[in-house]
Structures are given as structure tokens and as C-alpha cells.
Amino acid sequence: MSTDSNRIESVASIIKESRGIVSLTGAGISTSAGIPDFRSPEEGLWAKDPSKMMLFTDVGFAGNPKGFYEFGREILPGFQNARPTLAHRFLSRLEQEDSFGLKCVITQNIDGLHQKAGSKNVIEMHGGLSTGRCTSRTCPKEFGLEDIIRRVEEGELPPLCPECGAVIRPDIVLFGEELPGGAYQRAVEYLKHCDLLLVMGSSLVVYPVADMPEVAMGHGARLIIINLQPTQYDSRADAAIRLPLDEVAEKLMETLGMAV
Ligand code: OAD
Ligand code: ZN
């Protein structure tokens, strides 16, 4: 048996033994759905063009919303059309089947694919792309993703609020902004009480999320990491698997007796 198969068997055993599982996911779980991640060497958005990251800061967006939406025009339709991957479906099944105790998914992703896959308890650390809002503090107007995409595709760069004329922004967290109210505290409560943290598809470099394995391990949880690139926690993990997530999810589902 290869080392990879051994590791997958061992991950399946740990999952079976665990009663309180929390999963922490990042952009790598959605790459096979056609949504690029940020730091993969060839295809990652920031790896390809580090200057784009500036547009996703509070200051960068405020200073150049047109540039933000020009970039958005290229990537937004991919989000709209994406379907959950096998790995998303695997997590949803771990939550639904009582014999596996998955308590919640903490995600850095804004694509809503966990919810589309049927996961119920999802904590979005960086907000969600399905809705947007007016940037004027005094204007309560909200927008759906379809509306924002339609405006952008019609060349409205940046899209403006029809009520007050201020720029519309997606409900995502930009670098430099606070996390959505209570998300971090809620996530930490789950991390303190879980017995297994299952990290899937994150480089674990963006804080405060990058501290979450530390929090869980500090409270006695085991750690499994499934990620193509190495992470700062691999040497301390109970298992670290560097294979494509869908391949691992498929083998885990087979081993755990779930229909694929
Ligand atoms: P990253 O792009 O930093 O990391 C994604 C990880 O997934 C990489 O280490 C890849 O090797 C791995 N990966 C990609 N495809 C995979 C596959 N099919 N199977 C297994 N692993 C795969 O993405 P995040 O860690 O999510 O924040 O990034 C964290 C935050 O940085 C994002 O939420 C975003 C970004 O800037 C904000 O914009 C605030
Ligand atoms: Zn407005």
C-alpha cells in the first residue's frame, strides 16, 4: 500500500473516532469548481499578479473601485456558475450523518459553495459574495450578486447605488476591515470544543484564521491537513496529505462507507 493510501486510511480512522469535528476550509476546496485560489504557484490570483491584492484592501477598494470591478468582471461569472465539488459534498455528508459528528464548517471562502452543497452550520470568516450593499453609511440599500454582475457586464464600472449614487460593494471582508460581527468568537467556541480540526485547501497564512489550528490543538484537538502545498502546521499535524481534495474526499467517502 502506498504512503498516501496509508495516510487516507489513517485519516478515515481518526474521523470515525472523532465526536466533535470542525472543518476549516480555504480557496483550495473550490479550485476544481473553476474558482481560482490566491497562492497556488501557477493559477493563484495573487501569485499571478500580486498587485491585484491591493484592490482587495479597504484603502485600495475605496481609491480604485473601478479597478476592483474591472478585475471583478473577469472573475465574478465564475463564482456565479460554480457548483459544489466532491469535497464540499463530503463535508455536508459528515454533518448530516449523525454517526460522524461534524459540528461546523469555518470557511474563508466567499463563494457560498458549502451552503449550496447542503452544509447547514457554516461560519463565513470573510463574508459572502451573494449579496452587496451601498457604501454610503446612511443608505440601507442592498443588492444581489446577479444585479451586481449585470451592472458590471453592462459596463457600469463601478456599479452605483440607484438611490444615492454611492459605489456598491460586495459583502466580503477586504484586508484592513473587521471580520463580520461575532464570526471569530463563534468560530473560537467551536474550536475550543472540537476533538478534530480538518483543514482543507488553505495555505493558513492569513490571520486570524491562520491561528485557528493553534487554538484547536491548544484545547486538545487532533489536526488533519489536506492541502497541495505545505503549510506551517504540517509537521505538527496528526496527518498532512498533499493530494487534490476531490481525490482524497472520494477515497474517504469510500472508506467511510458513504455513497459517492
Ligand atoms: P490560498 O490561495 O492562500 O491557499 C489555497 C491552498 O489550497 C493552496 O495552498 C493550494 O496549494 C491549495 N489547493 C489548491 N487547489 C487544491 C486542490 N484541488 N486540492 C488540495 N489543495 C488545493 O487560499 P486561502 O488559504 O483560502 O482573503 O486564502 C486565505 C485568504 O487569502 C482568502 O480568504 C482571501 C485571500 O487573500 C481575503 O481576501 C480577505
Ligand atoms: Zn445608496
Side-chain angles (χ1 to χ4, degrees):
M1 223 194 283
S2 78
T3 320
D4 284 334
S5 312
N6 279 337
R7 286 209 191 101
I8 293 173
E9 292 274 339
S10 126
V11 167
S13 306
I14 294 175
I15 289 174
K16 266 194 229 158
E17 288 160 19
S18 303
R19 290 291 156 263
I21 305 173
V22 169
S23 182
L24 172 59
T25 67
I29 197 171
S30 299
T31 49
S32 68
I35 300 175
D37 67 4
F38 303 97
R39 296 176 184 83
S40 279
E42 302 285 315
E43 296 298 323
L45 294 175
W46 307 159
K48 267 205 292 205
D49 183 353
S51 70
K52 292 286 191 291
M53 197 167 162
M54 182 60 197
L55 296 169
F56 284 75
T57 63
D58 50 355
V59 178
F61 176 80
N64 186 9
K66 183 167 186 270
F68 178 89
Y69 280 106
E70 272 166 355
F71 184 46
R73 184 159 54 176
E74 290 168 34
I75 58 173
L76 280 174
F79 280 90
Q80 198 179 24
N81 301 328
R83 297 177 56 77
T85 66
L86 193 63
H88 288 102
R89 298 210 307 274
F90 169 61
L91 288 180
S92 148
R93 296 286 299 280
L94 278 184
E95 184 187 43
Q96 278 158 18
E97 291 187 22
D98 288 339
S99 52
F100 306 108
L102 186 130
K103 304 298 179 198
C104 94
V105 175
I106 302 169
T107 189
Q108 296 163 92
N109 299 345
I110 56 174
D111 55 33
L113 289 182
H114 286 299
Q115 295 88 332
K116 277 194 195 164
S119 285
K120 296 278 179 275
N121 195 13
V122 181
I123 304 180
E124 292 182 316
M125 297 304 298
H126 295 160
L129 200 57
S130 60
T131 55
R133 63 184 189 273
C134 177
T135 48
S136 162
R137 274 169 217 265
T138 53
C139 178
K141 192 109 176 87
E142 294 174 354
F143 304 86
L145 178 63
E146 292 74 26
D147 191 12
I148 297 176
I149 289 183
R150 184 182 48 75
R151 287 158 183 273
V152 169
E153 283 179 343
E154 285 169 3
E156 198 181 320
L157 297 173
L160 300 177
C161 171
E163 299 288 322
C164 73
V167 172
I168 298 171
R169 62 162 293 171
D171 284 332
I172 62 172
V173 177
L174 301 169
F175 283 107
E177 291 183 328
E178 299 278 316
L179 299 181
Y184 183 72
Q185 287 77 1
R186 272 199 301 140
V188 165
E189 277 312 302
Y190 280 105
L191 292 164
K192 281 183 181 167
H193 295 105
C194 71
D195 58 4
L196 169 63
L197 180 64
L198 181 57
V199 178
M200 296 170 96
S202 176
S203 58
L204 297 174
V205 295
V206 173
Y207 289 84
V209 169
D211 259 340
M212 290 184 169
E214 201 69 64
V215 175
M217 284 190 292
H219 287 79
R222 295 204 268 190
L223 177 67
I224 292 172
I225 298 175
I226 308 169
N227 199 63
L228 284 178
Q229 286 171 281
T231 79
Q232 57 168 321
Y233 289 102
D234 289 7
S235 60
R236 294 162 66 198
D238 293 85
I241 299 182
R242 293 187 196 144
L243 289 174
L245 269 164
D246 289 341
E247 193 181 314
V248 179
E250 186 176 358
K251 294 205 175 111
L252 284 174
M253 287 171 91
E254 271 168 25
T255 315
L256 292 167
M258 296 172 171
V260 176

